[in-house]
Amino acid sequence: MPELPEVEILVQHLQPLLQTRTIRAVRVHREKTIRPDSIRGLQSKLVGASFQNVSRRAKFLVFSLASARKQNPILLLGHLGMTGRMYLQSTSSPLPKHAAVSLDLGRHVFVFEDTRYFGRLTTHLASLENLGPEPMSDAFTVESFHADLRKSSQAIKVKLLDQKLVVGIGNIYASEALFRAGISPRIMSRRITRKQAQRLHQTIRDVLAEAIAMGSTLPLDFAGSKKRDGLFYYGSSASSGYEERLSVYDREAAPCVNCGAAIRKITQAARSTYFCPDCQKSRV
DNA sequence: CACCATGTTCCTTG
DNA sequence: CCAAGGAACATGGT
C-alpha cells in the first residue's frame, strides 16, 4: 500500500496505538524481511523496549523505541514494499498467511503482513541515506527542483520516481501530478521549463496533500482484519467517494475528466503511465 | 499459460 | 564517482 500518503496515514494511526507499548517477544516469520539484521540480533535489541514515537521519512516508517538497558533510543525502519500492511490484532487471533514479523505487545500483537515480501523491518538505517527532500518541506523549492530536472535526460515521469529528486512519489501519483500540471509524461526532464517546474512542484504537493486529507477521513480499521485498510486510492466498489479521486491512473480508455478524450496507457521504464493525450501536450 | 501489480536494490554499461 | 536501463525479488489476481 505504499506511496507517501498511505504511509503518512498509517503512521498517524499507529502512533497512538503503539506509544508506550513494550515489546515482549519478537517473532520473525520471514528472515528476508529483517535483513541485514539477524533474528537473534533483532530480538536482543527489541525485547523489553518500548515504543516512543512513530514517524515517516519518504515512504519509510521510523519507529523510535526506548530500551531499559540502552541510553540512546533504538530506531527501527519499516517499509511496506508493494503489499505490506501493519496493524494490531488480538493476541488470540491467528496470524495471517503472509505474516513477515510479529511483535508481542501483551494483549495485542503488532503484525507486519506482506504478501510479496518486498517490504522491510530492520534496524539497519542505510536506506535513509541519499534521499531527496520531503515534498512538503521548505527544502523542496521550485528552484532546486527545476535545477535537478535540468540535469536529467530521463522522461519526466520516470524522473519523478527517483527518490533523490524528491521523495514520496510513486507510480500512481506521478501520473496524477503530471496530469494536473498539463505536462506530457514523455517530455525529457531537462526540457521542463521554469513555468512547468513551478506548476509541477505545486501539483505534486496538491496531489499528495489531498490524498492524505482524504485518507484521514476514512474509517480505517487497523485493529481488525479488514481488507479495507491501506489502499484508499483503489476504491473497488463499496464506500464510494474515493474511486473518483484519481483522474488518470488505471483509467485507460476512459474519458478525460477535463476534455473527454480517451485516457492513454503507455509503458515507461517497464511501468505503466496514464495520461490525457489532449490535456498533456506540454507546450508551455 | 501469460501478463499485470502501490517499490527498492543490485548489476551492468557507458 | 555518476547516470541510466534493466533484471531481480515473490505472490496473487485476471
Side-chain angles (χ1 to χ4, degrees), chain A residues 184-212:
Chain A
S184 166
R186 300 196 263 213
I187 283 265
M188 210 185 295
S189 178
R190 68 161 57 110
R191 304 222 270 175
I192 292 290
T193 65
R194 156 75 197 216
K195 197 172 198 170
Q196 288 175 320
Q198 163 121 49
R199 206 163 150 62
L200 188 53
H201 178 271
Q202 187 60 50
T203 61
I204 286 168
R205 287 185 164 181
D206 289 348
V207 161
L208 297 177
E210 286 170 26
I212 291 171

Side-chain angles (χ1 to χ4, degrees), chain A residues 138-245:
Chain A
D138 291 344
F140 182 50
T141 65
V142 173
E143 290 69 33
S144 62
F145 180 52
H146 190 205
D148 288 342
L149 290 181
R150 300 203 55 147
K151 295 173 191 163
S152 172
S153 61
Q154 288 179 304
I156 182 61
K157 152 59 163 50
V158 176
K159 190 63 187 172
L160 287 181
L161 300 179
D162 181 353
Q163 304 294 295
K164 292 192 298 274
L165 175 72
V166 57
V167 303
I169 302 171
N171 204 41
I172 293 174
Y173 295 117
S175 284
E176 293 296 313
L178 285 167
F179 171 72
R180 282 213 205 179
I183 297 170
S184 166
R186 300 196 263 213
I187 283 265
M188 210 185 295
S189 178
R190 68 161 57 110
R191 304 222 270 175
I192 292 290
T193 65
R194 156 75 197 216
K195 197 172 198 170
Q196 288 175 320
Q198 163 121 49
R199 206 163 150 62
L200 188 53
H201 178 271
Q202 187 60 50
T203 61
I204 286 168
R205 287 185 164 181
D206 289 348
V207 161
L208 297 177
E210 286 170 26
I212 291 171
M214 201 230 37
S216 299
T217 70
L218 290 183
L220 303 185
D221 182 9
F222 287 102
S225 53
K226 276 288 162 311
K227 271 285 195 326
R228 186 80 282 156
D229 68 343
L231 285 219
F232 44 82
Y233 36 64
Y234 268 162
S236 42
S237 49
S239 57
S240 66
Y242 55 85
E243 298 83 53
E244 305 85 32
R245 286 199 351 77

Side-chain angles (χ1 to χ4, degrees), chain A residues 38-86:
Chain A
S38 65
I39 296 180
R40 311 191 83 133
L42 191 66
Q43 287 172 334
S44 74
K45 283 184 179 178
L46 299 186
V47 174
S50 303
F51 284 96
Q52 286 190 308
N53 188 55
V54 186
S55 60
R56 179 192 59 72
R57 170 72 174 115
K59 301 172 192 172
F60 292 89
L61 295 100
V62 182
F63 301 93
S64 170
L65 300 104
S67 164
R69 313 188 294 283
K70 281 197 61 183
Q71 294 290 359
N72 299 332
I74 297 164
L75 294 180
L76 184 64
L77 200 61
H79 197 289
L80 300 171
M82 296 273 265
T83 56
R85 303 169 61 194
M86 293 181 181

Side-chain angles (χ1 to χ4, degrees), chain A residues 237-277:
Chain A
S237 49
S239 57
S240 66
Y242 55 85
E243 298 83 53
E244 305 85 32
R245 286 199 351 77
L246 297 183
S247 301
V248 290
Y249 186 82
D250 204 24
R251 296 194 65 237
E252 182 181 21
C256 171
V257 295
N258 281 346
C259 74
I263 297 302
R264 291 236 288 137
K265 176 184 181 180
I266 60 174
T267 297
Q268 296 181 288
R271 314 202 63 191
S272 295
T273 298
Y274 298 84
F275 70 105
C276 172

